[in-house]
Amino acid sequence: MDLLNWINGAFVEPATGRYLDNVEPATGQVYGRIPDSGPDDVHRAVAAAKAAFPAWSRLTAAERSRILLRVSDGIAARLDELAAAESKDNGKPLKLATTVDIPRARDNFAFYATAILHDHSETHDMGVSGFNYTLRRPIGVAACISPWNLPLYLFTWKIAPALAAGNTVVAKPSEVTPVTAYLLAQICADAGLPNGVLNIIHGTGAGLGEALVTHPDVPVISFTGGTVTGAKISAQAAPLFKKLSLELGGKNPNIIFADCDFDEMLRTTVRSSFANQGQICLCGSRILVERSLYPRFLQAFTERVRALRVGDPSQDSTQVGAVVSEAHRDKILSYIALAQEEGGEILCGGHPVQLDAPYDKGFFIAPTVIANLTQDCRTNQEEIFGPVVTVQPFDTEEEALALANATQYGLAATVWTSNLQRAHRVASEIESGIVWVNCWLVRDLRTPFGGIKSSGVGREGGFEALRFFTEPKNICIALGAH
Ligand code: NDP
């Protein structure tokens, strides 16, 4: 499948005339080409978005809502096609794309299409002397840059609130997983989204990132991706005083106390470690277990992990698909080698998985559990973002918290205990943007979402995202003398 950029309501060739291969992770085979866009494509897309802004921002919330609801319906109508495209593009099990990723993308549009109808701004009454009220106005052209792990879900998570709030958008999906973004352009066109309101350009961060981030007509940037890229974008955008939201990497702790519901904890911990091949920013990658439970946990956990079925992502029985690319596979394997150099013991996995043709050149890694590493080693400090977790015992609640908080990251955490007071106490002490208690990934779309420390700046989700994509303007009225 060959893709094109979508600019001003038309599918167009990149100005560079260059294309990149799109590789299917499960087979390692090239199955299409995508535009390798450059600064000229960015300029065209931003010009189209800028021209579309006055009319789009002046529509009523109800008018914008109707169009965005049609986009949501369009995603629903093409759910199976989108899920198949995402699974092929990303290597994830088709079942996961069908039941989680694409439904959440549909819901993102429905949520923001209706949220905008219920948003309100503030009035501050100063009694006899006057009152102030706050208008919240869309900002202009928003740049939305997203990663490859949840391609359509994270893409729409940014685009939907930006559009609902009345901005126009230039969006860049990861070049590693571009197909669902291309299909979304078709859906938006069918839904009657006016030309130029959403523009989608394909290519690499290196080829077009700087032109987009530093463009003088782009006042607001929403980025999800790695912490190193986030720092680079921040350094480029800060001197230009752009509004910036950064959702970055993590090294999430999963704290398991001996008094937890063992079966529920075990089932969920397998999922929170290896769902999407461990390539969800919210996956737990450091499992901390109270020492009295540690032997039982290791035995039961490794038994379950060994039983996970790695294979053809299109099969319903597959639980672990391919990781996203050859380069990413090599990075994950290099971390497994590093863990061994650092004294880690591989309890299970730790190697690529060789499947039969046509998957014999795919990027499969056995789910991996590593023990006997200290918290300060690189394996326990750096984000691996693959099917690899470490396990460490702890003796006291204080020690568990110290271990949990001992990284530069602060995105998500999980706590397992039946002690209600301890659950709340530990949850409040963990340095992270979100803490799950006795569950994982149970999250209402209205919740503000984001990380602290090196995991991000700003909050997305819920009404926070509508706030982010608007600029408050205060109007101050004096009532005058009687
Ligand atoms: P990257 O940071 O490599 O890339 C993210 C996006 O930014 C891609 O579209 C990439 O393009 C683009 N990009 C790269 N360089 C630049 C640049 N200089 N200017 C502008 N855009 C640029 O992340 P990955 O795609 O590898 O995604 C994995 C990371 O995302 C992990 O660290 C993960 O934790 C994080 N993540 C965070 C989430 C959160 O909510 N906090 C959620 C999901 C993932 P290209 O790839 O085409 O070069």
Side-chain angles (χ1 to χ4, degrees):
M1 185 179 201
D2 287 353
L3 309 187
L4 294 169
N5 289 331
W6 194 53
I7 297 178
N8 205 22
F11 286 103
V12 293
E13 308 262 351
T16 57
R18 290 194 309 267
Y19 288 83
L20 300 162
D21 287 340
N22 192 15
V23 176
E24 180 181 5
T27 62
Q29 303 300 314
V30 174
Y31 80 107
R33 296 189 319 154
I34 70 160
D36 182 12
S37 307
D40 286 347
D41 300 289
V42 171
H43 293 305
R44 283 163 69 180
V46 174
K50 189 179 176 188
F53 178 71
W56 179 250
S57 59
R58 281 191 205 117
L59 289 183
T60 63
E63 287 167 327
R64 285 201 297 272
S65 172
R66 273 195 288 276
I67 296 171
L68 298 180
L69 279 174
R70 287 203 294 272
V71 175
S72 175
D73 290 345
I75 294 173
R78 294 174 69 173
L79 196 148
D80 288 341
E81 181 194 359
L82 287 161
E86 180 146 317
S87 170
K88 193 174 174 74
D89 230 13
N90 173 277
K92 69 178 61 194
L94 176 59
K95 199 170 173 185
L96 187 67
T98 307
T99 54
V100 179
D101 293 59
I102 307 304
R104 288 300 286 263
R106 172 201 64 202
D107 293 349
N108 284 340
F109 268 99
F111 179 88
Y112 284 106
T114 48
I116 194 71
L117 299 176
H118 303 282
D119 199 14
H120 62 276
S121 61
E122 308 86 38
T123 303
H124 299 284
D125 187 350
M126 299 168 72
V128 291
S129 50
F131 64 94
N132 296 176
Y133 62 90
T134 304
L135 296 175
R136 292 192 179 272
R137 291 286 154 85
I139 305 172
V141 179
C144 297
I145 305 172
S146 59
W148 46 259
N149 63 325
L150 306 169
L152 192 64
Y153 173 21
L154 290 175
F155 201 54
T156 54
W157 174 245
K158 300 177 173 309
I159 291 170
L163 295 179
N167 303 275
T168 54
V169 169
V170 176
K172 187 198 112 44
S174 168
E175 106 267 5
V176 183
T177 53
V179 176
T180 48
Y182 177 78
L183 297 175
L184 179 70
Q186 295 175 352
I187 290 167
C188 289
D190 293 345
L193 193 73
N195 293 346
V197 169
L198 171 63
N199 304 275
I200 298 175
I201 44 176
H202 299 275
T204 64
L208 65 82
E210 186 170 351
L212 180 57
V213 167
T214 60
H215 198 294
D217 290 329
V218 174
V220 52
I221 302 163
S222 171
F223 170 81
T224 300
T227 295
V228 171
T229 316
K232 196 168 168 183
I233 289 175
S234 200
Q236 290 169 343
L240 302 169
F241 307 112
K242 293 176 187 257
K243 199 169 181 188
L244 192 58
S245 163
L246 300 170
E247 300 291 345
L248 308 175
K251 192 73 182 173
N252 306 320
N254 181 359
I255 305 178
I256 299 168
F257 288 96
D259 64 359
C260 68
D261 175 337
F262 189 82
D263 292 340
E264 179 62 24
M265 175 279 296
L266 192 64
R267 207 171 21 251
T268 305
T269 297
V270 171
R271 205 164 59 84
S272 67
S273 303
F274 299 110
N276 204 36
Q277 299 70 247
Q279 302 167 137
I280 300 178
C281 54
L282 304 171
C283 277
S285 54
R286 295 180 296 133
I287 304 179
L288 311 173
V289 187
E290 193 166 359
R291 196 176 297 275
S292 59
L293 190 70
Y294 194 61
R296 181 179 172 207
F297 174 81
L298 284 191
Q299 204 265 329
F301 185 61
T302 51
E303 197 173 291
R304 290 276 184 109
V305 174
R306 271 192 210 99
L308 288 171
R309 286 181 297 275
V310 181
D312 169 5
S314 69
Q315 295 301 310
D316 261 7
S317 57
T318 293
Q319 292 163 299
V320 179
V323 300
V324 77
S325 67
E326 186 173 13
H328 195 55
R329 179 200 57 193
D330 293 347
K331 177 188 153 188
I332 295 166
L333 292 175
S334 78
Y335 269 105
I336 294 172
L338 172 71
Q340 289 169 291
E341 283 165 30
E342 291 180 323
E345 181 190 353
I346 310 284
L347 300 181
C348 63
H351 53 80
V353 175
Q354 186 62 47
L355 299 177
D356 293 337
Y359 303 106
D360 50 332
K361 294 193 171 55
F363 315 131
F364 297 91
I365 296 180
T368 300
V369 181
I370 306 173
N372 291 345
L373 287 168
T374 55
Q375 179 48 43
D376 57 358
C377 69
R378 281 182 56 203
T379 309
N380 271 329
Q381 290 291 329
E382 298 175 16
E383 186 183 44
I384 300 172
F385 213 54
V388 179
V389 294
T390 64
V391 283
Q392 297 178 73
F394 65 83
D395 289 304
T396 62
E397 185 179 310
E398 292 69 31
E399 189 190 356
L401 275 167
L403 290 169
N405 290 338
T407 74
Q408 63 166 318
Y409 295 107
L411 186 56
T414 310
V415 181
W416 290 93
T417 178
S418 297
N419 179 328
L420 184 66
Q421 286 179 312
R422 174 156 64 195
H424 288 293
R425 195 168 57 234
V426 171
S428 76
E429 292 294 318
I430 295 178
E431 296 165 357
S432 79
I434 189 162
V435 180
W436 280 287
V437 177
N438 297 334
C439 63
W440 181 67
L441 229 53
V442 178
R443 194 172 62 81
D444 190 294
L445 275 178
R446 289 169 294 188
T447 313
F449 176 85
I452 60 171
K453 296 159 74 177
S454 299
S455 289
V457 177
R459 287 292 176 275
E460 298 192 352
F463 285 93
E464 300 280 333
L466 292 178
R467 292 277 175 275
F468 173 72
F469 284 113
T470 53
E471 210 83 85
K473 177 191 279 187
N474 293 320
I475 315 289
C476 307
I477 311 292
L479 291 180
H482 287 290

